[in-house]
Amino acid sequence: MMAAAAAAAASSGCPSTVRIAASVFYKAWQQQQQPAAGAAGLIRHCKSSCSSVVSSVVLLPLVPSDVSGACQIKQLASTVKKESTLERFSTTTTASLPLLLRNSERYVESPSEKEAWALLKDAVVTYCGEPVGTIAARDPSDPFPQNYDQVFLRDFIPSAIAFLIKGEHEIVRNFLVHTLQLQSWEKTVDCYSPGQGLMPASFKVLTVFRDGNEANGTEEILDPDFGEAAIGRVAPVDSGLWWIILLRAYAKCTGDTSLQERVDFQTGIKMILKVCLADGFDMFPTLLVTDGSCMIDRRMGIHGHPLEIQALFYQALRFARDMLVQEDGVAQDLKKLINSRLSALLFHIQEYYWLDLRKLNEIYRYKTEEYSYDAVNKFNIYPDQVSPWLFEWIPNKGGYFIGNLQPAHMDFRFFSLGNLWSICGSLATKTQAEDILELMEAKWDDLIGTMPLKICFPALAEDEWRIITGSDPKNTPWSYHNGGSWPTLMWQFSVACIKMGRLDLAQRAVEVAEKRLSRDRWPEYYDTRSGRFVGKQARLFQTWSIAGFLVAKLLLRNPEAASWLTCDEESNPVISCGLDMNPRRRRKFNPLSNSNLV
């Protein structure tokens, strides 16, 4: 009925198009038996639901029964925008309306969703009779699962979000509690112990003899891997960051903050922050890491300051700051350090990582070897390092954050997770976030193709592949981390799209994936430039492929859940700068608008 009204509005040229937050509209649609019969009931309900407004927004063309109804609707739109704390009331196409109407009605799970839920529940791992996570994969055709039979912290995140949306909170709580306990375990690689705040990459449940004596019976223990058994022996930098993000999502979902306020959890948060904020030799506010320290856990040339780590780092700092309990001087000192780091990191990424057509032209004309405090080419980037593919690929409208930045080096590859999470955590400005999604839409065939979502684009090939990956046989061009297509990235894509009001893009990607995932037996990744083939070494029934699909579907029906994983731009960032303290540096410094200079 509402769809017919929208069609009538379009045919009559009715200009009454107002923006109403999707979650408010859903509730109104579900509780209003005859929403098209009159606008008054809808307006009353929406006004009472303003507190639940989230940032996903739709254009809702209505045909009010009278002029006063149209005025009331316009007033409602103004009220929603005024009373909510959100600023992103972005425009979407009217094509989103049928999607929202369809999702708000009684929903029947598709066969793919039913299968996915059954597989996800089969992947649950129990410890002492309680669920504590999901294993990485349950591929019956794989006799040697290596570490795919373990619970990975980063892999469990989409599973956790799926369970939270479904109302099954126990497994997420248990996971947070037990992984925190593992944080304090002794970690040693060749007689060297890394920072105590390091969280494990994964863990498995082992059944052992109690006290090593068969006569005493058996017991279950958790056996963590902090990277000492991983390929390349690399510490999982992202594990602690994802743990903080999930802890905040759990509190937002359940309304239960008692967990994060516990002494052991406050200590755990502080230990992670201590590792991340430790002093070092680096000149930049970005987090310095080795290759393979995140989702791309093999040599792929991301050592240094990869975007993915910076996006997670920024959001984890913001969430940790909000969760710290101010009962001692340590927490207060940490908050000061966090504020200082956040403002510097925000400026650094937005200013130096951003690339669009205008910026590319500027880099193309860079002068080099500028020894000066006022240098334009601050990182001494050589224009000849800009790859020829980029000049043709960059669209006239849109842009993205580059993958990495170091002295004399810019990694111009597009990394999906880093860009999407920059949107979710507001590391990107509103305009930059819109431009990222605009670029992804313009380059749909390259980044989505026949299976969402490219982990990076383009692939390293020939000499680049041999030099940068060390001729890695698993990361051949357009495979695995080297330009492979990863279905799990759908859930991050959906969160970013919902935040920016682009449900149409999320729905489009999910529809592409749903055609193949179940038929292909839920592979870990896909190969070739367009993602046509199941990856040559991909595990089947990969849990985070299953969970990523489910979360994307669930978010389209419950967009308010995206707010658990996102944050708005800070209204008053504090910019810490010591330029005026140095008499040799008299260059101009223009702080961001609405900023305080300390």
Side-chain angles (χ1 to χ4, degrees), residues 181-214:
Q181 293 170 351
L182 295 175
Q183 183 191 45
S184 61
W185 279 45
E186 183 179 351
K187 321 166 186 64
T188 304
V189 179
D190 295 336
C191 304
Y192 177 76
S193 298
Q196 193 176 4
L198 181 67
M199 298 294 282
S202 62
F203 66 86
K204 57 184 175 182
V205 179
L206 297 179
T207 302
V208 298
F209 293 120
R210 190 174 282 110
D211 299 325
N213 190 336
E214 183 177 0

Side-chain angles (χ1 to χ4, degrees), residues 275-348:
V275 171
C276 292
L277 298 173
D279 292 333
F281 292 104
D282 204 14
M283 295 289 290
F284 313 127
T286 41
L287 202 58
L288 179 64
V289 300
T290 62
D291 224 336
S293 57
C294 52
M295 178 181 176
I296 298 178
D297 57 4
R298 298 170 75 91
R299 181 176 165 188
M300 269 291 292
I302 66 167
H303 57 279
H305 308 90
L307 177 65
E308 175 181 333
I309 289 293
Q310 313 317 321
L312 293 172
F313 180 40
Y314 180 80
Q315 191 183 51
L317 286 180
R318 289 192 60 180
F319 287 173
R321 181 186 59 185
D322 294 341
M323 291 189 290
L324 281 175
V325 177
Q326 287 188 336
E327 292 184 352
D328 53 34
V330 175
Q332 294 177 7
D333 290 343
L334 273 175
K335 287 196 174 186
K336 291 178 182 178
L337 285 174
I338 290 172
N339 286 333
S340 177
R341 191 63 169 268
L342 281 173
S343 58
L345 181 60
L346 184 71
F347 176 83
H348 187 84

Side-chain angles (χ1 to χ4, degrees), residues 289-571:
V289 300
T290 62
D291 224 336
S293 57
C294 52
M295 178 181 176
I296 298 178
D297 57 4
R298 298 170 75 91
R299 181 176 165 188
M300 269 291 292
I302 66 167
H303 57 279
H305 308 90
L307 177 65
E308 175 181 333
I309 289 293
Q310 313 317 321
L312 293 172
F313 180 40
Y314 180 80
Q315 191 183 51
L317 286 180
R318 289 192 60 180
F319 287 173
R321 181 186 59 185
D322 294 341
M323 291 189 290
L324 281 175
V325 177
Q326 287 188 336
E327 292 184 352
D328 53 34
V330 175
Q332 294 177 7
D333 290 343
L334 273 175
K335 287 196 174 186
K336 291 178 182 178
L337 285 174
I338 290 172
N339 286 333
S340 177
R341 191 63 169 268
L342 281 173
S343 58
L345 181 60
L346 184 71
F347 176 83
H348 187 84
I349 297 294
Q350 292 180 359
E351 181 71 14
Y352 302 124
Y353 276 63
W354 183 251
L355 186 73
D356 55 17
L357 189 62
R358 182 197 62 79
K359 184 66 176 181
L360 181 60
N361 203 164
E362 181 183 319
I363 295 170
Y364 180 69
R365 292 170 52 83
Y366 267 167
K367 295 179 181 179
T368 59
E369 317 303 331
E370 293 183 285
Y371 182 77
S372 167
Y373 292 116
D374 300 314
V376 175
N377 185 2
K378 293 181 175 63
F379 301 94
N380 199 34
I381 303 300
Y382 300 109
D384 287 346
Q385 76 173 249
V386 180
S387 302
W389 67 268
L390 186 58
F391 291 110
E392 301 299 326
W393 192 76
I394 193 88
N396 291 329
K397 295 181 65 178
Y400 67 99
F401 289 121
I402 60 173
N404 211 327
L405 176 64
Q406 300 184 71
H409 173 66
M410 274 184 166
D411 187 343
F412 292 101
R413 287 176 291 176
F414 178 92
F415 288 85
S416 294
L417 179 52
N419 275 278
L420 293 173
W421 218 251
S422 296
I423 295 174
C424 298
S426 289
L427 184 56
T429 66
K430 178 179 181 292
T431 300
Q432 287 172 338
E434 291 170 347
D435 283 351
I436 291 169
L437 292 183
E438 188 165 354
L439 177 139
M440 296 187 75
E441 184 177 22
K443 298 299 177 181
W444 189 269
D445 291 341
D446 289 332
L447 302 177
I448 308 296
T450 60
M451 177 56 65
L453 193 66
K454 282 294 175 201
I455 191 170
C456 67
F457 182 92
L460 300 171
E462 299 179 348
D463 287 343
E464 274 192 319
W465 168 73
R466 282 187 286 272
I467 294 169
I468 294 177
T469 73
S471 301
D472 186 347
K474 194 168 185 178
N475 273 331
T476 53
W478 305 112
S479 180
Y480 202 49
H481 298 138
N482 190 14
S485 299
W486 292 69
T488 187
L489 292 173
M490 271 189 298
W491 78 269
Q492 289 105 331
F493 183 60
S494 296
V495 174
C497 288
I498 289 171
K499 181 179 180 182
M500 301 309 298
R502 292 302 308 270
L503 282 84
D504 54 315
L505 289 183
Q507 177 70 17
R508 186 178 168 191
V510 169
E511 289 175 352
V512 170
E514 193 164 12
K515 294 175 183 177
R516 298 182 56 193
L517 275 176
S518 176
R519 184 185 68 197
D520 293 338
R521 295 180 293 173
W522 308 94
E524 179 183 11
Y525 64 94
Y526 287 76
D527 283 356
T528 72
R529 179 168 179 144
S530 64
R532 290 183 62 196
F533 292 87
V534 173
K536 58 186 175 184
Q537 296 188 41
R539 296 306 200 279
L540 302 180
F541 301 102
Q542 182 81 10
T543 303
W544 72 349
S545 294
I546 296 165
F549 166 75
L550 282 175
V551 172
K553 295 282 284 189
L554 288 166
L555 286 172
L556 288 172
R557 302 200 306 273
N558 306 274
E560 64 275 7
S563 64
W564 308 340
L565 297 155
T566 62
C567 45
D568 294 322
E569 290 183 75
E570 294 203 275
S571 58

Side-chain angles (χ1 to χ4, degrees), residues 48-79:
S48 67
S49 304
C50 281
S51 61
S52 64
V53 172
V54 297
S55 57
S56 76
V57 177
V58 298
L59 280 176
L60 182 58
L62 294 175
V63 183
S65 56
D66 51 35
V67 176
S68 63
C71 294
Q72 290 181 67
I73 291 173
K74 289 180 180 180
Q75 291 174 3
L76 167 63
S78 176
T79 302

